[in-house]
Amino acid sequence: MFVQNGITGKYPAASITGNKCAFKCDHCQGKILASMRQATSPEKLVAVCLELSAMGNYGVLLSGGCDASGHLPWDRFIQAIKEIKQRTDLLVSIHSGLIDEPEALCLKRAGVDQVLIDVIGDDETLKRMYHAPFGVSRIYDTMAAVQKVGLPMIPHIVCGLNYGQIKGEKQAIEMVADFTVEQLVIVSLMPIPGTPVWGSTPPTAEAVADLIAEARISLPATRISLGCARRRGNPQLETLAIDAGVNSMALPSDEAVARAKSYGIDIYYQKTCCSVTQALFESGW
């Protein structure tokens, strides 16, 4: 989905709801969905994924907008996902929204490789930004359901989601620490033109690094990634993230690569979603 130094990745995103989302969250308003490939029926999803596979892509991120209860229509697409896994070698990541245990089990049996979950630790932020009629306990319940059925879970925490304010992110880390998580992705508010958050100031590099350090201490055995959803052109954020203990980074700057090398860190590149670990990538390819 991104281009760096003329190189593109091989892990595009597709939306199973088009640009439709009942929440119309303040930081997105459906604009991120509109940039994805549109796969609003099971037939379209299979066709899109067959095309992506033929083009040599490694995987696909399936996303979409929530309904009024915070759910995506995964039940309509279970058979399509199963067909995709049978007919291609694509890794399949899903940005799940809320799911319960029976739905999580169906997704696992269909062959989903990993579930990406936005973890918010503050009820007020959830209601202000997502306009959700429920609290963060529902997110916790989703994580519990995913872990119970044995699906790999990749939580995402957005630093400064509440109009740039750090509010509830440490509580989100505490929520994640209750589970067995292979990787945690930390990102930072990325104001999008035309959304209510446009004009908001994202958290400072130091504030994001502080949260990464908090996560590193709370989750010593968990890989931590600085994800792609962050404002570009801030090498200080990236170098401080390395100082604070990240294991991987989407779209690193030259300064970030130099900082990693200064620590003697071996560097490995892969053209995938930032949620995909090296182990999963190598097992799938």
Side-chain angles (χ1 to χ4, degrees), residues 60-80:
V60 61
L61 169 61
L62 303 184
S63 187
C66 294
D67 63 18
S69 66
H71 292 82
L72 276 71
W74 294 117
D75 56 333
R76 291 181 52 223
F77 291 88
I78 293 295
Q79 288 304 123

Side-chain angles (χ1 to χ4, degrees), residues 190-267:
M190 188 172 60
I192 297 173
T195 66
V197 301
W198 177 243
S200 299
T201 302
T204 65
E206 291 84 357
V208 177
D210 178 66
L211 286 165
I212 292 171
E214 184 88 18
R216 170 50 63 223
I217 293 167
S218 299
L219 301 157
T222 299
R223 293 179 59 84
I224 300 175
S225 173
L226 181 65
C228 60
R230 65 182 195 274
R231 181 176 281 177
R232 300 290 176 270
N234 188 352
Q236 184 189 22
L237 168 59
E238 300 175 9
T239 54
L240 286 179
I242 292 170
D243 294 344
V246 297
N247 304 98
S248 60
M249 183 180 300
L251 307 169
S253 63
D254 291 341
E255 292 89 342
V257 173
R259 180 63 62 89
K261 287 181 176 178
S262 75
Y263 285 125
I265 296 172
D266 293 329
I267 298 175

Side-chain angles (χ1 to χ4, degrees), residues 22-27 66-71 97-98 117-142 156 158 160-163 165 167-169 171-172 175:
F23 280 3
K24 292 293 182 185
C25 306
D26 282 12
H27 63 296
C66 294
D67 63 18
S69 66
H71 292 82
L98 298 181
I117 301 173
D118 293 333
V119 182
I120 300 159
D122 174 62
D123 283 339
E124 181 184 326
T125 297
L126 181 62
K127 291 177 181 177
R128 181 184 187 188
M129 302 304 297
Y130 284 66
H131 317 134
F134 50 80
V136 300
S137 63
R138 296 290 302 280
I139 298 172
Y140 192 94
D141 292 344
T142 289
H156 283 53
V158 183
L161 176 62
N162 195 335
Y163 283 80
Q165 302 175 59
K167 188 175 184 189
E169 283 83 338
Q171 289 86 342
M175 290 167 64

Side-chain angles (χ1 to χ4, degrees), residues 16 62 66-67 69-75 78 81 94-108 112 114-118 134 137-154:
I16 62 172
L62 303 184
C66 294
D67 63 18
S69 66
H71 292 82
L72 276 71
W74 294 117
D75 56 333
I78 293 295
I81 294 171
I94 67 165
H95 193 196
S96 67
L98 298 181
I99 53 177
D100 58 21
E101 187 179 331
E103 194 167 29
L105 185 59
C106 287
L107 289 165
K108 180 184 180 181
V112 167
Q114 57 178 199
V115 176
L116 283 50
I117 301 173
D118 293 333
F134 50 80
S137 63
R138 296 290 302 280
I139 298 172
Y140 192 94
D141 292 344
T142 289
M143 289 194 288
V146 171
Q147 178 163 293
K148 188 170 182 180
V149 304
L151 258 176
M153 171 172 53
I154 313 293

